[in-house]
Amino acid sequence: MSVLRRWFQTGLLCGRAQCRSAAGRGSMCGGAPALARFSSSESPVNLTYDVFDGKGESTPLVFLHGLFGSKSNFHSIAKSLVQRTGRKVLTIDARNHGTSPHHPVLTYEAMASDLKHLLTKLHIEKCVLIGHSMGGKVAMTTALTQPDLVERLVVVDISPAQTTTRTNFRFYINAMQAVTVSSTLPRSTARRMAEDQLRKQVKEHSVRQFLLTNLVETNGQYSWRVNLAAISAHLDDIMSFPSLDTTYDGPTLFLGGASSAYISSEDYPEIQRLFPCADIQYIPDASHWIHADKPLDFISSISSFLQS
């Protein structure tokens, strides 16, 4: 696979040998109340997850999805990686996403705590952590605060930098909150009606289809399975990154889409500071959703990184 590769000077100096291996009818969602920030006294939530069992004994791979996503985003990727590597693969729903519980707090500290709680419950002492976008920031937070838990780290099209100016997430939230769908409609009609309403603020067809994966019918009512109130209230937290002075010295891959602006040269110094053994690669003709645009290249990049 042809990729554009950039190595950090510190990454070259450190060398791989020195890196440690290691709702009712009507509007579907209400407003966003003021919420307290996460503290160490917060109890973690019990995340939902899917397991794809491999026959090998190597460290399992753990996938973390992005904002508005779910564990199913990586199911086909997980199946391919089980076949290619023999490793067990887990895909996880973050709090307020998929079928995981809702909680008013949505910070990276809280989500990292949820992840540690799940891995402890599953008796997984070490894993290869792979996170896309928001999930990439959860993965970075986990690696920086609990490095012994992470054997290798893959951060997909995101950096430890402020990303507010590069996103339209606030528009997406507003559009989703404004959708109204009658409970009397069949699902296919309800989905078309919801898409028509989203189209006013969400111009990209692919983004609308992605957001619509969150439209569910529960007890005869249509609603969004993501917790829009918590996402809206914590959007600044989600778009930023915790201030941390620690480093993660294990093997790290930042995998960006060549057509995406989420990992830019302006981010390199902070990546270098926090992840001194990082390698950055870009997959040609891939947008922010690399795994959907170029799944074979994405799988090849992950496989090569595991063997490096």
Side-chain angles (χ1 to χ4, degrees):
M1 176 187 64
S2 174
V3 296
L4 171 62
R5 175 175 294 190
R6 293 189 179 94
W7 289 81
F8 293 135
Q9 182 178 9
T10 349
L12 285 169
L13 292 174
C14 97
R16 290 301 178 191
Q18 290 176 286
C19 296
R20 288 185 301 145
S21 293
R25 190 177 304 178
S27 179
M28 295 193 207
C29 240
L35 303 174
R37 288 189 59 85
F38 172 82
S39 68
S40 58
S41 63
E42 291 277 357
S43 297
V45 304
N46 292 312
L47 304 177
T48 56
Y49 61 94
D50 291 324
V51 179
F52 300 84
D53 273 322
K55 297 180 180 179
E57 299 297 327
S58 299
T59 308
L61 311 180
V62 176
F63 279 88
L64 307 176
H65 63 77
L67 189 62
F68 301 115
S70 71
K71 62 182 184 293
S72 64
N73 296 158
F74 286 105
H75 278 179
S76 60
I77 298 292
K79 293 173 184 177
S80 295
L81 283 169
V82 168
Q83 293 179 344
R84 184 172 294 202
T85 69
R87 295 175 184 246
K88 175 184 291 187
V89 180
L90 279 76
T91 65
I92 300 174
D93 277 337
R95 59 167 63 194
N96 297 317
H97 290 74
T99 56
S100 281
H102 284 193
H103 193 284
V105 174
L106 189 61
T107 64
Y108 290 118
E109 296 91 339
M111 289 186 276
S113 177
D114 294 341
L115 177 61
K116 180 182 179 182
H117 176 68
L118 174 62
L119 296 179
T120 299
K121 184 172 67 174
L122 297 177
H123 306 290
I124 296 176
E125 298 179 354
K126 194 177 289 288
C127 68
V128 176
L129 206 48
I130 305 168
H132 171 248
S133 197
M134 180 188 77
K137 290 190 174 184
V138 177
M140 286 187 282
T141 302
T142 302
L144 290 167
T145 58
Q146 304 165 71
D148 291 341
L149 190 61
V150 183
E151 181 178 275
R152 286 172 175 259
L153 174 67
V154 181
V155 181
V156 184
D157 210 55
I158 202 70
S159 74
Q162 179 65 250
T163 54
T164 304
T165 57
R166 304 174 193 169
T167 68
N168 295 313
F169 288 133
R170 180 66 68 185
F171 294 106
Y172 301 162
I173 294 169
N174 293 340
M176 294 171 77
Q177 288 176 325
V179 168
T180 58
V181 177
S182 172
S183 61
T184 62
L185 296 174
R187 179 172 175 80
S188 59
T189 305
R191 185 183 175 94
R192 286 197 301 271
M193 180 176 288
E195 181 175 10
D196 287 341
Q197 294 175 51
L198 288 175
R199 188 177 285 109
K200 299 173 184 177
Q201 294 194 59
V202 184
K203 305 302 182 183
E204 303 90 342
H205 174 75
S206 60
V207 175
R208 290 197 303 273
Q209 294 302 306
F210 175 64
L211 297 178
L212 285 167
T213 62
N214 291 290
L215 182 65
V216 295
E217 183 181 3
T218 306
N219 298 323
Q221 303 291 334
Y222 290 106
S223 62
W224 300 110
R225 65 180 177 180
V226 288
N227 187 345
L228 290 177
I231 293 172
S232 179
H234 284 281
L235 192 59
D236 288 345
D237 293 310
I238 296 169
M239 294 299 104
S240 61
F241 189 74
S243 297
L244 298 168
D245 292 325
T246 56
T247 63
Y248 174 70
D249 300 320
T252 303
L253 172 64
F254 281 79
L255 189 60
S259 301
S260 171
Y262 278 83
I263 302 177
S264 76
S265 58
E266 296 176 357
D267 303 329
Y268 292 177
E270 185 65 359
I271 293 175
Q272 176 183 352
R273 181 180 75 86
L274 295 172
F275 305 96
C277 292
D279 172 19
I280 297 183
Q281 299 177 9
Y282 292 87
I283 293 182
D285 302 318
S287 70
H288 182 54
W289 287 275
I290 301 172
H291 49 287
D293 291 346
K294 296 287 184 177
L296 296 181
D297 289 354
F298 180 80
I299 292 167
S300 293
S301 294
I302 300 296
S303 299
S304 296
F305 175 64
L306 293 174
Q307 297 169 4
S308 65

